[in-house]
Amino acid sequence: MGRREYVGGGGGMPGWLGGLVEESFFVGCEAHESRRKNEKNIFCLGCCTSICTHCAPAHRSHPLLQVRRYVYNDVVRLDDLEKLVDCCFVQPYTINSAKVVFLKPRPQSRPSKGSSNICLTCDRILQEPFHFCSLSCKVDHVLLRGEDLSSILFRFEDSDFAFSRFESLQVDEDDGPIAANATLEQPAQSKEECLPPSHGGGGSGSSGTRKSRFFPRIVLSLNNRRKGAPHRSPLS
């Protein structure tokens, strides 16, 4: 298996990219509705569709990308995504030492009045120096500017998304969706070599790997901990 490049004709939207930002993940798989743990949390880059872990063996010769869930939103590890797309100026978040990027815009909780830095596509409030809240927003911005999407897409090795990465994928019985009040750490800093969003970003994605588990257990607030054992007043 060699190096692939999934780019649409004439610089248009390639099928895998359109599917990745539009597909529904973490819904039950129709083909395995009677099986447990049948949520669609894998994206097949070859078929441009979401699949579940029970479907994965039928796609063993295709490049597969794992999609994860955070606060009821679909995210992908930055280490994986930047092998496919230039993620410069997309705001990443750090969860248990793993950087992730949101696939779709997150719902805006409050108006962005008075904010000095907002998403160039959906106006969501961001931290400096980022310009996009999600992969979808960056893709939409490039298209609205009439630029060629090939300027932000990379060739990649099939081995980086091989089926073997999913053969040992196990989901613990008590690992449910991450609660809405889970703590999100500060966004990670952008790479120094990133170009401004008006320029095409060329280059190659990172090939780093991480050994730690992706999602932390829900951490109880320190305010909920007992300050000490109660003491009985002395008898009179």
Side-chain angles (χ1 to χ4, degrees):
M1 301 200 348
R3 186 177 285 269
R4 299 198 192 193
E5 182 177 18
Y6 291 98
V7 181
M13 176 87 76
W16 70 263
L17 182 58
L20 184 60
V21 298
E22 294 173 6
E23 272 286 287
S24 295
F25 296 96
F26 293 90
V27 295
C29 175
E30 300 85 356
H32 298 98
E33 58 183 358
S34 62
R35 303 284 297 274
R36 297 178 64 256
K37 305 298 182 183
N38 67 345
E39 292 181 328
K40 294 182 177 182
N41 61 350
I42 301 173
F43 184 76
C44 178
L45 293 162
C47 299
C48 307
T49 189
S50 57
I51 61 175
C52 73
T53 53
H54 305 297
C55 297
H59 297 257
R60 65 174 58 248
S61 62
H62 301 167
L64 304 175
L65 176 68
Q66 186 171 2
V67 178
R68 305 168 191 267
R69 196 75 161 163
Y70 182 76
V71 195
Y72 305 106
N73 289 272
D74 302 327
V75 300
V76 173
R77 279 185 122 166
L78 180 61
D79 283 348
D80 291 334
L81 194 59
E82 65 184 359
K83 295 172 186 174
L84 300 167
V85 188
D86 175 9
C87 295
C88 284
F89 293 102
V90 179
Q91 179 165 297
Y93 294 85
T94 302
I95 307 172
N96 197 27
S97 301
K99 295 178 183 179
V100 301
V101 169
F102 286 86
L103 292 180
K104 302 178 180 67
R106 297 170 61 199
Q108 183 70 282
S109 58
R110 61 184 184 276
S112 57
K113 296 183 295 184
S115 175
S116 59
N117 191 53
I118 60 175
C119 177
L120 296 179
T121 302
C122 73
D123 295 337
R124 182 177 181 82
I125 299 172
L126 301 175
Q127 291 195 4
E128 297 284 356
F130 304 107
H131 299 298
F132 308 102
C133 71
S134 63
L135 173 64
S136 177
C137 282
K138 178 165 185 174
V139 170
D140 287 347
H141 180 76
V142 173
L143 291 175
L144 287 172
R145 290 177 61 89
E147 296 179 1
D148 195 326
L149 279 177
S150 63
S151 64
I152 65 170
L153 301 179
F154 299 137
R155 291 184 176 90
F156 63 92
E157 295 287 349
D158 282 359
S159 58
D160 290 335
F161 302 96
F163 168 74
S164 58
R165 301 175 68 198
F166 298 90
E167 287 182 309
S168 60
L169 182 63
Q170 298 292 333
V171 181
D172 296 336
E173 292 297 324
D174 56 352
D175 282 348
I178 298 301
N181 61 350
T183 301
L184 186 65
E185 297 180 15
Q186 292 296 321
Q189 294 299 314
S190 102
K191 296 180 179 177
E192 293 181 357
E193 66 270 17
C194 288
L195 297 174
S198 59
H199 293 75
S204 60
S206 168
S207 59
T209 58
R210 300 185 184 274
K211 297 180 181 178
S212 60
R213 288 178 60 86
F214 178 74
F215 285 130
R217 301 287 182 180
I218 302 303
V219 179
L220 295 177
S221 169
L222 292 177
N223 293 330
N224 293 332
R225 296 176 59 185
R226 296 175 63 182
K227 297 182 179 179
H231 295 281
R232 220 181 252 280
S233 60
L235 296 176
S236 55

